[in-house]
Amino acid sequence: HDYRAHVSVATGVGAMQTLLIVALMFERRRRQIAEQEAQRHLDNAAHLDRRATLGELSAALAHELSQPLGAIMHNAEAAEMAIDSGQPALLELREILADIRHEDSRAGQIISRMRALLRKHELDIESLDVNALTRETIALVVPAAAEKGVDVDMDLTSNLAPILGDRVHLQQVLLNVLLNGMDAMATLPQATRRLLVRTDHGDHCVEVSVKDVGCGIAPDAARRIFGPFFTTKAQGLGVGLSIARSIIQAHGGRIYAENNRDRGATIRFSIPFNREARPAA
């Protein structure tokens, strides 16, 4: 009888262990599916937000693109005139061709940056140089800043450790923050509109901040500024900063806003650095 009871107990324990293992495997799989679904939702929302953001920048970007295209046309006409003269100067033609090549490259870079942001893609984690990413993003908003009379200054700390992140998604975060900073200064005299973009070392992370000199953040808005559908703009959807927060959290970082001591506000976000990579200059 004791032997049978022992076997019965052992069989019961084995069955319980098997059920527990199956339950744990099922829960793990359920979490993986939920995480994948959440990431797909974030990718879709981020893609739509990028399209809206580029729509806001489209006029300024079109103007920027027209400059190299106009220069190419002007150089082509100059080359035709030189050839029609019957005695074209080869040195002058080489200089014209070099200018055309340079302007073509410039136009290609503008189009490439726009296509990268418009393209829908899943999270693609790679080692990134934050300073290079910041410069590329600011290059996208410089035409819009010029239209709005905003000076954009950079204070980039050298020898920052690389981070692990998705280039397009992080550029989207910075784009949203920059455009919000410009809008915050819309009512100021044009000569006083200034954005300062900084990069710096943090505690096991790299920090990016954007400081404006606008009206600051109202006390009742401070806690809701990164919430969905919260906006102070007449035609805003209130999703840009909410998506920015989701992107930063997906990278294991944090984002927050605070009023400056003098005037305006600063939005900061940080991303853990890539411990296996060497610092970038």
Side-chain angles (χ1 to χ4, degrees), residues 218-264:
D220 62 334
R223 293 183 179 181
R224 297 184 293 156
I225 189 171
F226 294 105
F229 308 116
F230 175 79
T231 181
T232 57
K233 303 176 185 178
Q235 298 179 339
L237 296 177
V239 296
L241 288 180
S242 176
I243 291 173
R245 180 181 64 177
S246 297
I247 290 172
I248 295 300
Q249 289 177 343
H251 283 77
R254 60 188 296 257
I255 183 170
Y256 61 97
E258 60 186 0
N259 284 319
N260 303 324
R261 290 185 177 181
D262 44 5
R263 63 179 302 173

Side-chain angles (χ1 to χ4, degrees), residues 86-97:
Q87 295 180 338
L90 293 181
L91 180 59
E92 181 182 355
L93 285 177
R94 287 196 182 97
E95 290 176 350
I96 291 173
L97 290 174

Side-chain angles (χ1 to χ4, degrees), residues 57 60-61 64 110 113 117 130-146 150-156 167 170-179 182 195-199 208-211 269:
L57 294 173
L61 288 172
E64 183 186 17
I110 296 170
R113 291 196 299 262
L117 286 169
V130 172
N131 284 343
L133 183 143
T134 300
R135 293 188 190 98
E136 291 171 9
T137 309
I138 289 176
L140 278 169
V141 301
V142 162
V150 176
D151 290 328
V152 182
D153 296 326
M154 289 185 289
D155 181 11
L156 307 184
R167 177 182 300 276
L170 292 177
Q171 281 190 321
Q172 179 178 357
V173 172
L174 187 52
L175 270 175
N176 270 309
V177 175
L178 287 166
L179 291 174
M182 291 182 197
L195 280 179
L196 177 59
V197 184
R198 280 197 174 105
T199 61
V208 181
S209 65
V210 178
K211 177 182 178 182
F269 63 88

